[in-house]
């Protein structure tokens, strides 16, 4: 019933479109010639992706002049307001990696390799490390766009900022669907609010963002109110009013790999044998274990509560072993690594993910957890 | 159940995709396909472009799940888990932007 899709090429999850031939030695004078060289090469392959990439490069790099080369190409398209943002990309100087423009800057900073993160300290001031975390040194490039590392800009011909805006809105819509379990909230955002939200994000206008966001979150809080905050059924929740939420939008980023995004209900069935509750709030550790099972594991250990009693009352040695042993589980990393959320390193893995999400999620409503392996 | 799933080693999975045209986009003879879950969504886009014979042209094609466009680097398996309905991932496709 379902025909198998046979795909050529890279199965390793390489990013999008084939790379256009890189421009090597470009300075101001070489730009026009190089741009036309890549157009000529891509023309013979007849690949839409390569054509678009090289055309965009000539638009940004050479402006109108380069487009005249060969005579058969359209003039570079201008933004309506005349201020075209050139296609460029940023390199993290310490790692040499291209920065993924579709991720928030804070998340990218958390992932950058030169952060020397000590427990509880987000800024990185480890001794003996000559590279301090700030200022973060970036190099901006206008050529040799690395399509094998970062997403190419929209191939449908639109320009830089609208592409980024579209990406942000789509991410937000995904998160809203996960939160509410339906497309309704996302679909109901009117065009004016789309614009306001984006303007708020671009200008870091928290007040404006909060106005629109209040409506986006309204359903979640309403449901929380209807269900009440009673904790008798074990589903009383994490006390942040998240009772109405369907799934918590979380993305886990490990080093430079693309994000992992899986279903994260706020309450999970408890796997501990002797726990009375049927559902407990999902923790950060639960999420990391599910999203990155190679990097985390569940460790069970027996804890005898009678041990403490025996230590307290020295003379009552026959009290030992009368109390039942408890089974404690904790989630721990399987290798040396660090997890960071909004610059905060190593939030305890026992924290409810719902609380972390409601306080630390990004403007697209996703909580981004960065995991840096050493 | 989710925690139990985390303990199991990942096995090669396939995601069932159901392509649904929107607007002027043509209906294909075959609309249901199975794709390896470890592919990125860009593979789905490239596949559909080939099926619709758009590969060599600059023609625009928009793919939607629910009302959003997934990021090209998202795992098909993740999208399957988050957004599938009755075991299949419905992907709407259109030549114009359908949901702005």
């Amino acid at each position: 019933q379902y025909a198998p899709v046979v795909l050529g090429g890279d199965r390793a999850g390489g990013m999008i479109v084939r790379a256009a031939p890189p421009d090597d030695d470009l300075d101001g004078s070489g730009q026009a010639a190089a741009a036309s060289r890549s157009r000529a090469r891509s023309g013979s392959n007849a690949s839409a992706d390569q054509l678009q990439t090289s055309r965009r490069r000539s638009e940004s790099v050479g402006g109108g002049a380069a487009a005249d080369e060969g005579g058969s190409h359209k003039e570079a398209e201008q933004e309506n307001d005349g201020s075209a943002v050139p296609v460029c990309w940023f390199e993290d100087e310490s790692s040499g990696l291209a920065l993924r423009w579709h991720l928030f800057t804070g998340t990218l900073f958390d992932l950058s390799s030169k952060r020397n993160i000590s427990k509880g300290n987000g800024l990185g001031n480890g001794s003996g490390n000559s590279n301090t975390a700030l200022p973060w040194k970036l190099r901006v490039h206008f050529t040799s766009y690395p399509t094998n590392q970062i997403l190419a800009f929209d191939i449908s011909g639109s320009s830089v900022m609208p592409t980024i805006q579209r990406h942000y809105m789509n991410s937000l819509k995904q998160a809203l669907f996960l939160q509410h379990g339906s497309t309704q909230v996302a679909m109901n955002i009117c065009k004016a609010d789309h614009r306001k939200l984006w303007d708020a994000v671009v200008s870091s206008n928290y007040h404006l963002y909060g106005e629109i966001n209040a409506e986006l979150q309204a359903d979640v809080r309403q449901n929380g109110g209807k269900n009440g905050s009673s904790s008798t059924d074990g589903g009383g929740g994490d006390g942040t009013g998240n009772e109405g939420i369907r799934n918590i939008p979380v993305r886990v980023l490990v080093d430079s790999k693309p994000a992992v995004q899986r279903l994260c209900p706020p309450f999970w069935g408890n796997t501990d044998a002797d726990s009375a509750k049927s559902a407990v709030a999902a923790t950060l550790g639960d999420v990391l274990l599910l999203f990155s099972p190679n990097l985390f594991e569940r460790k069970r250990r027996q804890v005898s509560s009678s041990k403490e009693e025996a230590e307290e009352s020295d003379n009552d040695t026959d009290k030992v072993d009368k109390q039942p042993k408890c089974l404690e589980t904790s989630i721990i990393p399987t290798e040396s690594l660090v997890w960071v959320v909004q610059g905060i390193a190593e939030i305890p893995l026992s924290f409810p993910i719902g609380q972390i999400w409601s306080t630390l999620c990004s403007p697209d409503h996703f909580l981004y957890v960065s995991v840096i392996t050493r | 159940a989710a925690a139990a799933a985390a303990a199991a080693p990942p096995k090669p999975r396939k995601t069932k995709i159901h392509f649904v045209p929107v607007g002027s986009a043509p209906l294909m003879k075959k609309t249901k396909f199975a794709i390896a879950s470890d592919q990125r969504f860009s593979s789905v886009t490239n596949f559909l472009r080939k099926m619709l014979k758009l590969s060599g042209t600059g023609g625009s094609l928009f793919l939607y799940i629910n009302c959003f466009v997934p990021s090209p680097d998202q795992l098909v398996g993740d999208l399957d888990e988050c957004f599938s309905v009755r075991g299949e991932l419905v992907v709407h496709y259109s030549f114009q932007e359908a949901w702005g």
Side-chain angles (χ1 to χ4, degrees):
Chain A
Q1 194 186 359
Y2 291 90
V5 170
V6 177
L7 298 164
D10 179 35
R11 277 181 67 94
M15 305 282 238
I16 212 169
V17 290
R18 294 166 287 279
D23 306 327
D24 331 346
D25 55 337
L26 292 187
D27 53 20
S29 56
Q31 283 165 359
S36 71
R37 247 187 283 129
S38 37
R39 277 201 300 275
R41 269 182 292 202
S42 62
S44 61
N45 287 345
S47 154
D49 306 330
Q50 289 177 337
L51 265 171
Q52 289 291 342
T53 310
S54 60
R55 183 186 305 149
R56 190 150 303 103
R57 195 170 296 141
S58 69
E59 283 171 19
S60 65
V61 159
D68 284 337
E69 208 85 16
S72 57
H73 300 275
K74 286 198 298 191
E75 287 294 319
E77 289 169 25
Q78 292 293 322
E79 299 259 327
N80 286 338
D81 60 357
S83 60
V85 174
V87 172
C88 61
W89 56 281
F90 296 90
E91 173 196 341
D92 175 3
E93 275 201 3
S94 59
S95 64
L97 289 176
L99 293 183
R100 290 170 274 178
W101 57 260
H102 66 292
L103 295 178
F104 292 100
T105 309
T107 304
L108 289 168
F109 180 69
D110 288 345
L111 287 166
S112 66
S113 60
K114 278 300 184 198
R115 282 176 64 84
N116 185 6
I117 299 158
S118 51
K119 224 173 165 69
N121 180 346
L123 284 181
N125 57 354
S127 59
N129 186 1
S130 57
N131 284 312
T132 53
L134 295 172
W136 190 19
K137 297 197 180 99
L138 305 180
R139 188 175 295 142
V140 59
H141 295 260
F142 296 91
T143 59
S144 304
Y145 196 94
T147 49
N148 59 333
Q149 283 189 63
I150 55 178
L151 300 180
F153 283 104
D154 213 322
I155 64 170
S156 65
S158 61
S159 44
V160 173
M161 286 309 280
T163 302
I164 299 173
Q165 178 180 359
R166 219 176 274 124
H167 194 281
Y168 163 75
M169 286 307 308
N170 281 310
S171 200
L172 174 64
K173 285 181 187 174
Q174 274 198 54
L176 289 172
F177 182 91
L178 288 169
Q179 278 179 245
H180 300 285
S182 89
T183 57
Q184 191 183 16
V185 175
M187 299 281 264
N188 285 344
I189 306 175
C190 65
K191 233 178 162 63
D193 283 356
H194 266 244
R195 183 82 229 177
K196 277 190 199 168
L197 213 47
W198 178 244
D199 287 346
V201 169
V202 167
S203 58
S204 294
N205 185 337
Y206 291 97
H207 181 70
L208 181 60
Y209 181 86
E211 275 178 30
I212 315 293
N213 194 40
E215 293 171 29
L216 301 181
Q217 297 286 45
D219 280 356
V220 173
R221 292 211 195 96
Q222 260 179 16
N223 288 339
K226 279 182 200 157
N227 294 339
S229 53
S230 146
S231 56
T232 51
D233 57 355
D238 46 24
T240 57
N242 281 339
E243 284 81 2
I245 197 171
R246 277 291 188 90
N247 289 289
I248 298 179
V250 186
R251 285 177 173 161
V252 172
L253 292 142
V254 178
D255 299 322
S256 57
K257 301 200 178 87
V260 176
Q261 174 185 317
R262 301 191 59 177
L263 271 187
C264 177
F267 306 106
W268 288 4
N270 198 337
T271 55
D272 285 332
D274 52 329
S275 172
K277 284 187 185 173
S278 58
V280 291
T283 65
L284 174 60
D286 290 331
V287 169
L288 286 170
L289 180 61
L290 176 66
F291 287 40
S292 307
N294 297 329
L295 296 179
F296 293 85
E297 64 182 356
R298 191 182 295 278
K299 204 165 185 186
R300 294 189 138 83
R301 57 192 188 97
Q302 281 202 333
V303 175
S304 173
S305 58
S306 64
K307 187 181 170 195
E308 286 147 52
E309 288 193 48
E311 282 166 5
E312 280 168 352
S313 51
D314 297 321
N315 299 325
D316 301 347
T317 48
D318 48 336
K319 269 196 184 171
V320 173
D321 285 337
K322 270 198 184 161
Q323 300 295 328
K325 289 192 164 67
C326 295
L327 205 61
E328 240 182 49
T329 70
S330 57
I331 293 171
I332 56 168
T334 58
E335 57 180 79
S336 177
L337 53 78
V338 143
W339 57 95
V340 185
V341 179
Q342 297 288 16
I344 304 165
E346 302 192 345
I347 293 175
L349 295 176
S350 55
F351 261 51
I353 192 74
Q355 279 190 29
I356 303 175
W357 173 79
S358 60
T359 47
L360 297 178
C361 71
S362 290
D364 63 355
H365 285 215
F366 271 98
L367 176 71
Y368 287 89
V369 181
S370 303
V371 178
I372 304 101
T373 62
R374 295 205 212 266
Chain B
K11 42 192 183 204
R13 277 169 33 221
K14 291 244 173 184
T15 293
K16 294 176 186 160
I17 300 208
H18 182 180
F19 289 111
V20 176
V22 168
S24 60
L27 178 66
M28 301 187 293
K29 287 201 187 97
K30 254 186 146 40
T31 60
K32 299 194 180 190
F33 298 88
I35 183 171
S37 303
D38 62 355
Q39 289 293 314
R40 301 288 160 186
F41 191 73
S42 56
S43 302
V44 177
T45 307
N46 291 341
F47 172 75
L48 188 58
R49 290 189 77 88
K50 279 203 196 101
M51 294 295 292
L52 296 174
K53 300 192 178 16
L54 287 175
S55 299
T57 74
S60 58
L61 181 66
F62 297 90
L63 275 70
Y64 296 91
I65 292 179
N66 295 326
C67 60
F68 61 83
V69 177
S71 178
D73 63 341
Q74 288 191 262
L75 268 175
V76 167
D78 285 356
L79 294 168
D80 186 16
E81 181 177 301
C82 293
F83 306 113
S84 274
V85 177
R86 285 182 289 277
E88 60 178 28
L89 194 58
V90 177
V91 175
H92 289 94
Y93 58 98
S94 161
F95 292 147
Q96 295 88 27
E97 237 182 322
W99 290 280

